[in-house]
Structure formats: C-alpha cells, structure tokens
Amino acid sequence: LESLLKLRNALKEIPRKLLKRQEPAQEDDLLLGKVTGKCNFAFTFKVQGDGCFQTGMLVAAAENKESGMPVPLKCRWKRQVGDVSVDIPGVSSNMYQISADDIGTHICVEASPADDDDELIGHVTGEIGPFELDPQTRRSLDNSLGRGYTFPVQLARAADDVQASPTAAQDHSVLVNEHRVSVSLSGAEVAADYNELYPKVIMHTLDTLKFQLVLSETRCFDLVVQSRASRDLLALMIRYFQATRQVTTSAVVASLLPPQAPLQQGETGGGSLDACIVLERLVSEVNKNMLTKEVSERVLRNTKSEKRELQEQLMESIGGCTDVIVGLQDQFHEGASGQGPAPDPAELAAQVRGIEAQNKALGDALAQEHKRREDLRTSRLAAEEAKPQLHERREERDMLRARLSQLASRSSTAQQQDMADQSHALELKRLRQDVEKLHNHKEQLRKMLQDKEREKQELQDNFFYVKGQLEKWQLRVAQDADGEGAVKELERHHQTVNNAMDERTRFSMRLESCLRDQEKDKVYHEQQIDRLMQANARLMEEKDRATREVQRVSTMYSDVASQLQREAAGQGGQTDTFAADPADQADASAPADPEEVARIRQLLS
C-alpha cells in the first residue's frame, strides 16, 4: 500500500514538472558568429543589437566548462574585405564597437586565454558579417545627399589636457555637401575640396562619438559629435561625394553595361532601353531580397529562441520521467525483497485502472493547461500591442478625474466664493468712499493754497507800501537832521520795519512748509488711488477668469460624459480592455447631472 501511494504521488508530480517553466529573461537581440579552432573552454562570438548593422557591438566571451566562471581573453581584431584581412589598431579587449568603417566587411577576432596559469589552452577564431547600414541611417543619408547637411561638433579634449582651452567647449559645425567640406571654428572657416586622398574621416575605435577629420596634410581636427548616428552619417556622406568625384556614373554604367557594336542599317536601338529595364527590375528584386532577408533573419532568431525553450521543456520532462522510473524501480525492489504476503492481483488491477484513469484525467488537465497558456500568450500579445493606447486612455482618465475633482471642489466652495465676492464688493464700495473723501480733501487743500497765495500777495503789497513810506521818512529826516524827535521817530520806524520783515519771513516759511506738506499729501493720495484702482482691476480679471474656467470645465465635463456614454453604448456587452477596475467603468459610464451643472454655473455667475 505504501508503494502504491508513492507511485500515485510520483504520477501526480509529472504534470507539475511538465508545466514548470521559468519565464524567459528578456535578453538583447543577438546573432552568433562562426567559431573555429580548438580549446578546452567554451567560446562564443556574437553581435549585440538589432542585427548585422553598424549600430551594434561585438562581444567575444569565454567560460570555464567545469566551473562556469568567465575566462579573461586577449583578443586581436581584424577587418576582412574579400580575401584581404586588415588589423584594427587600438582594440585589445573582448568588445568592439561596430562603425561605418565596417559596412560591407566581415569582422574577425583571434582569442586566447589571457592567463596561462588556469590550465586553459587553445586558440579560437570568430567571424561574423557582412555588416549593413541600418534603415534609419539609410533614410537620413538619402535625405542629406541632395542638399548637404551641417553637423554640430566640438573639439575633442586630450586625455592629459587638464586645463582645457576656452574654445574647447564651444559649439562648432562641419558642413558637408557635394562641392566641399567646411569646418567652422569660432567664426573662422576652413574648407577643402574633394580629391583622391582628402578629406577623410578616421573613426575612433573606443569612443563612438570621436573621430578625426583630415582636410589636408597640414590640417587635421579631432572632433566630437552629438550621437553615434551623426558620426556614421558624416563619414558616409564624405566618402560618397569623394567616390562620385573619382568614379563617375558613366564609368559605373560602362562597367555594368559594356558598349555594343554599332547598329546596322535597319536595326533599332532598343537594346539600351531593354538593359535599363532589366537593370531597374534587378534593383527592385535586390530590394525585395533584402527585405526578405531581414524578415528571414528575424524569423530565424525567433525560431532559435523557441527551439531553446522547447529543449529546456524536453529536458525537464525527461528528468521528471526518469525520477518516476527510478522511484518505481526502487519500489519494485522493495516489494520483491519484502517478507509480507503477496498482494491480491484483482486489487492491483483495480489500482492500476484507477491510476490509468488518473493519468487520463491528468492528461486532459495538461491539455487544458496548454490551451489556457496559449490563450494567455495571445492575450498578452494583444495587451502589449494595445499598451500605448491603454497608457493614453489612462492618462486621459487621470486628467478627467483631476478635472472632476477640481469641479467638485469648486462647487463645494461656491458659497465661499459668493462670500468672497460680497466682501470684494464691500471693499470696492469702501475704496470708492475713500477716493471721494480724498478728492474732497484735495479740493479743500487747493482752496487753502489759493487763500495762502492771496495772503502772500497782500503781505508783499504791505511790504512795498511800508518800504515807500520809509524812504519818504528818510528823506524828511535828511532834510530835518537837527531835530532829536525826528531821530527817535526814525528809530521807531526802523524797529517797526524790522518787525514787519521778521513777521514776513516767518509767514513765508510757514506758507512754504504748508505747501510742501500739501504736495506730499497730494502725491501720496494719488498713489493710493492708483493702487486701489489696480487692485480693483486685478480682482475683476480674476473673477472673469474663474467664471470662464468654470464654464470651460463644465462644457468639457459634459462632452466627456457624453463621449463615454457613446463608447459604452457602442461597445455593448464586450469587455472594456482599458478599464483597470469596475470602479473606472462605473465612473466612465455615469452621466453628468444637468441640474448640478446648472446650479454650479448659477453660483459662479
């Protein structure tokens, strides 16, 4: 009985082991290269990126077969064009950045272990290619060849240059067109025409943004561009224009279509036309084949990944069946060596039939589980395709919720806004009263100023009159110089004149002080009036703006509610893919309350 229970548990574990599968890690899209040579370690040579384009990166990696630890390598990189191999200088690591120099070529790497003490020996060679121009750069190149292009660049800073020059960080530009290459540096322009050797672009093998632009034997610039695609586009444009100058289109056509014998009399010249038609058809076929190749490579990568997953599932299934078989064998040996009585054959047959029924049920459950997994995969792909639209709908939903909450908060504070409007009205009324009082006070000050002016004029007239009388008295005193009474009278008049002068001076000072005070009060009150009028204008503008905002939000709320109602009516009984939960669907389908909207508009107006 115990052995049968073990057998039942083992059979129950089979579907679990078959269904057990870890989610595959989202690895970068990679292509494996051709590897030759003998070694006692595991070596891989691959391209990381979107395919065999110049935007990827080559990685040579090695692992110890026993421990699985990575093995450091010393690498030698070569660029192969046909049967000719050229060393790539400056690169000794296990990674290489592909550039525009590698378009149409194969890249080879010769690798060997960097440490000889680890008992790892061998010399392997990896090859991959040819590399092509990626579609985005190809489109940019086609658009830029006709009209030229200006690339923003900067001067490259040397590694040992601690104090960079002030112009090193300034932005410069390189103009590339069909006539010449021009470099603009701080207002100065250096140009070079195309010839057999110059201008030329030397790519930096380690930095994807640096390059060297050589215009002549004496003019060379170390520059840095903004992106890797800009560097590749600049190099390809310069090489294209230089090639068109050296190799003309007529020479290319002559090499592809050799000249034919002259036509005899009566013959037609349709051969060249046929050749052009054939050439056009060949070009279209080549483009179609290129597209087919890209699709095939993508399908091949997907097939390889699916094959790897199926192999892992098969190994897991084999392992589970092996464990079950080993358990059955152990149970058989234990039953054969046991001392108890032999089991009843009828009972064993019934148990076997029960186990077979359980296996059939488990098989059906396994088929259902596979079907459910396929449905889940299909739904996941559909969800990934609809993910951008779902994100937009969620953003729109969040915005509408924010608007609705804002509208609700404004409707809840409508009474407060009415009280605020009443307080503003009272404040405006009080300010108008203050303005009227200040205006009346201003009129009173103006009248007082006129009275003071009249008093001043009267004092001046009195002064001139007293002065004339004094002069007359002086004349009489001069005529009657011997009289003592005349002298005393003269002194008394002098004292009176001095007192009048002092009084006049005192009144003049008081008048000027009053005028200054009145002028200051006048300026202050005018400024106060201006500030009050500005504050009143701002309050009225804020009130108008709030009214317009409430009307706009109310209109938007009504439009959105009607749109959601139309969408809900159009979908019918289908499930809403973009609704995150039932509460969202309820919010989206709830119509707006016209009475509530009208009440809010009436309160705000």
Side-chain angles (χ1 to χ4, degrees):
L1 183 59
E2 185 179 358
S3 62
L4 291 176
L5 291 175
K6 291 182 179 179
L7 177 60
R8 180 182 296 176
N9 295 330
L11 291 174
K12 288 182 178 180
E13 290 292 329
I14 291 176
R16 186 182 63 82
K17 290 183 178 180
L18 292 176
L19 295 175
K20 182 180 178 182
R21 178 187 173 190
Q22 297 179 353
E23 291 293 332
Q26 295 181 354
E27 300 178 353
D28 294 335
D29 190 10
L30 53 88
L31 294 175
L32 296 177
K34 181 181 178 182
V35 179
T36 58
K38 295 182 180 181
C39 61
N40 60 352
F41 53 87
F43 178 79
T44 57
F45 185 47
K46 58 188 178 181
V47 179
Q48 291 183 352
D50 296 333
C52 287
F53 300 119
Q54 89 285 357
T55 56
M57 181 175 64
L58 296 176
V59 179
E63 293 182 356
N64 194 325
K65 293 182 178 180
E66 297 178 356
S67 62
M69 297 297 293
V71 177
L73 299 173
K74 53 183 179 181
C75 301
R76 180 182 179 186
W77 297 85
K78 294 183 179 181
R79 185 181 293 112
Q80 185 175 358
V81 182
D83 297 333
V84 181
S85 298
V86 181
D87 290 336
I88 300 176
V91 184
S92 60
S93 63
N94 65 328
M95 292 186 294
Y96 173 69
Q97 298 284 349
I98 310 171
S99 64
D101 293 339
D102 304 319
I103 296 176
T105 66
H106 291 71
I107 300 298
C108 302
V109 59
E110 298 177 358
S112 59
D115 299 332
D116 298 334
D117 299 335
D118 296 338
E119 298 180 356
L120 297 175
I121 57 175
H123 184 81
V124 292
T125 302
E127 179 182 351
I128 193 169
F131 295 97
E132 302 175 357
L133 185 63
D134 66 297
Q136 184 176 1
T137 308
R138 187 187 298 275
R139 290 192 295 269
S140 301
L141 182 62
D142 294 338
N143 296 330
S144 303
L145 288 177
R147 50 185 174 81
Y149 194 78
T150 301
F151 298 89
V153 298
Q154 292 183 355
L155 292 176
R157 179 178 177 182
D160 54 352
D161 188 6
V162 179
Q163 295 180 352
S165 60
T167 60
Q170 296 179 0
D171 292 335
H172 309 295
S173 61
V174 176
L175 173 62
V176 181
N177 53 28
E178 59 181 352
H179 303 291
R180 65 179 60 87
V181 178
S182 302
V183 181
S184 298
L185 302 174
S186 302
E189 183 176 356
V190 181
D193 297 331
Y194 297 103
N195 53 37
E196 297 180 356
L197 299 177
Y198 304 101
K200 61 182 179 179
V201 178
I202 302 175
M203 301 288 189
H204 199 285
T205 55
L206 300 179
D207 195 335
T208 59
L209 302 180
K210 292 183 180 180
F211 68 98
Q212 192 176 30
L213 181 59
V214 183
L215 299 181
S216 63
E217 296 181 355
T218 57
R219 290 180 294 184
C220 180
F221 302 96
D222 293 328
L223 302 175
V224 179
V225 293
Q226 296 179 351
S227 63
R228 183 177 180 178
S230 299
R231 187 184 72 169
D232 295 339
L233 184 61
L234 186 145
L236 292 173
M237 289 183 66
I238 291 177
R239 292 169 185 174
Y240 171 79
F241 291 132
Q242 190 175 18
T244 53
R245 286 296 184 91
Q246 302 303 321
V247 182
T248 59
T249 307
S250 60
V252 175
V253 174
S255 62
L256 295 175
L257 302 173
Q260 300 178 355
L263 298 175
Q264 300 295 331
Q265 186 175 3
E267 295 181 354
T268 60
S272 60
L273 179 61
D274 295 338
C276 293
I277 294 173
V278 171
L279 180 61
E280 184 69 24
R281 186 170 64 253
L282 291 175
V283 170
S284 62
E285 291 179 358
V286 168
N287 293 331
K288 292 179 181 179
N289 291 331
M290 292 294 295
L291 295 175
T292 307
K293 179 184 175 183
E294 293 178 359
V295 174
S296 301
E297 289 178 351
R298 194 177 298 110
V299 172
L300 179 61
R301 290 195 298 271
N302 296 332
T303 305
K304 286 182 179 180
S305 61
E306 291 179 358
K307 179 182 177 182
R308 186 167 56 252
E309 294 174 359
L310 292 174
Q311 287 178 353
E312 292 177 357
Q313 294 179 9
L314 181 60
M315 293 302 295
E316 291 178 359
S317 301
I318 293 172
C321 293
T322 304
D323 295 339
V324 171
I325 293 171
V326 172
L328 291 174
Q329 289 178 355
D330 294 340
Q331 294 172 10
F332 177 75
H333 289 302
E334 291 177 359
S337 60
Q339 300 297 329
D344 187 6
E347 185 179 357
L348 290 176
Q351 292 178 0
V352 168
R353 285 194 298 272
I355 291 172
E356 289 178 354
Q358 291 180 0
N359 289 335
K360 185 177 180 181
L362 291 174
D364 296 338
L366 180 61
Q368 294 178 1
E369 187 67 20
H370 278 296
K371 184 178 179 181
R372 189 178 65 84
R373 285 176 55 195
E374 291 296 331
D375 295 339
L376 290 175
R377 183 181 298 175
T378 305
S379 62
R380 184 179 65 182
L381 293 176
E384 289 179 356
E385 292 177 357
K387 192 173 182 180
Q389 190 176 4
L390 176 62
H391 183 66
E392 293 178 359
R393 292 287 185 175
R394 285 180 177 175
E395 289 182 351
E396 185 178 0
R397 183 194 64 187
D398 295 337
M399 183 183 67
L400 292 175
R401 283 183 175 178
R403 292 292 186 184
L404 288 174
S405 62
Q406 185 178 4
L407 181 61
S409 62
R410 289 186 176 180
S411 62
S412 63
T413 57
Q415 187 176 3
Q416 296 179 359
Q417 290 183 358
D418 292 339
M419 294 177 64
D421 293 338
Q422 292 178 3
S423 62
H424 290 164
L426 294 175
E427 184 69 19
L428 289 175
K429 185 176 180 181
R430 186 180 61 82
L431 292 175
R432 289 193 184 96
Q433 292 177 358
D434 293 340
V435 169
E436 291 177 358
K437 290 180 180 179
L438 291 173
H439 183 71
N440 296 332
H441 187 60
K442 179 181 177 181
E443 293 295 332
Q444 293 178 1
L445 292 176
R446 186 179 289 108
K447 292 180 181 180
M448 291 177 63
L449 181 60
Q450 293 176 358
D451 296 338
K452 295 295 183 182
E453 288 291 340
R454 286 194 297 270
E455 292 180 358
K456 179 182 177 181
Q457 187 65 33
E458 291 177 358
L459 289 175
Q460 288 179 355
D461 294 341
N462 293 332
F463 171 73
F464 290 135
Y465 174 76
V466 170
K467 186 177 180 181
Q469 294 295 328
L470 178 61
E471 290 176 354
K472 292 179 181 179
W473 182 256
Q474 287 177 353
L475 290 174
R476 283 200 304 268
V477 168
Q479 292 175 3
D480 191 7
D482 295 336
E484 295 180 358
V487 173
K488 292 181 180 180
E489 187 68 20
L490 182 61
E491 290 179 356
R492 188 174 60 79
H493 284 295
H494 275 293
Q495 185 67 28
T496 304
V497 169
N498 290 332
N499 294 333
M501 291 292 292
D502 294 339
E503 188 71 19
R504 175 182 174 276
T505 303
R506 188 166 59 254
F507 277 117
S508 298
M509 293 176 63
R510 287 180 61 187
L511 180 61
E512 290 177 358
S513 177
C514 291
L515 291 175
R516 284 195 299 269
D517 293 337
Q518 295 300 327
E519 190 68 21
K520 288 181 182 179
D521 293 337
K522 175 183 175 183
V523 172
Y524 172 76
H525 290 301
E526 288 178 353
Q527 293 178 354
Q528 187 71 18
I529 291 171
D530 294 337
R531 284 196 295 270
L532 293 175
M533 296 300 293
Q534 292 176 1
N536 185 20
R538 284 196 299 270
L539 291 173
M540 296 300 294
E541 290 178 358
E542 289 178 358
K543 181 180 178 181
D544 296 339
R545 192 182 301 112
T547 304
R548 290 194 299 270
E549 183 66 18
V550 169
Q551 292 177 357
R552 187 177 67 82
V553 170
S554 300
T555 306
M556 183 181 299
Y557 175 78
S558 302
D559 295 340
V560 170
S562 60
Q563 183 179 359
L564 292 176
Q565 289 177 358
R566 289 195 299 271
E567 290 180 358
Q571 290 178 357
Q574 297 180 359
T575 304
D576 190 2
T577 307
F578 305 103
D581 51 3
D584 297 337
Q585 297 180 359
D587 294 339
S589 61
D593 190 0
E595 296 181 358
E596 184 67 19
V597 174
R599 187 180 65 82
I600 293 172
R601 289 181 177 176
Q602 184 177 2
L603 290 174
L604 293 177
S605 61

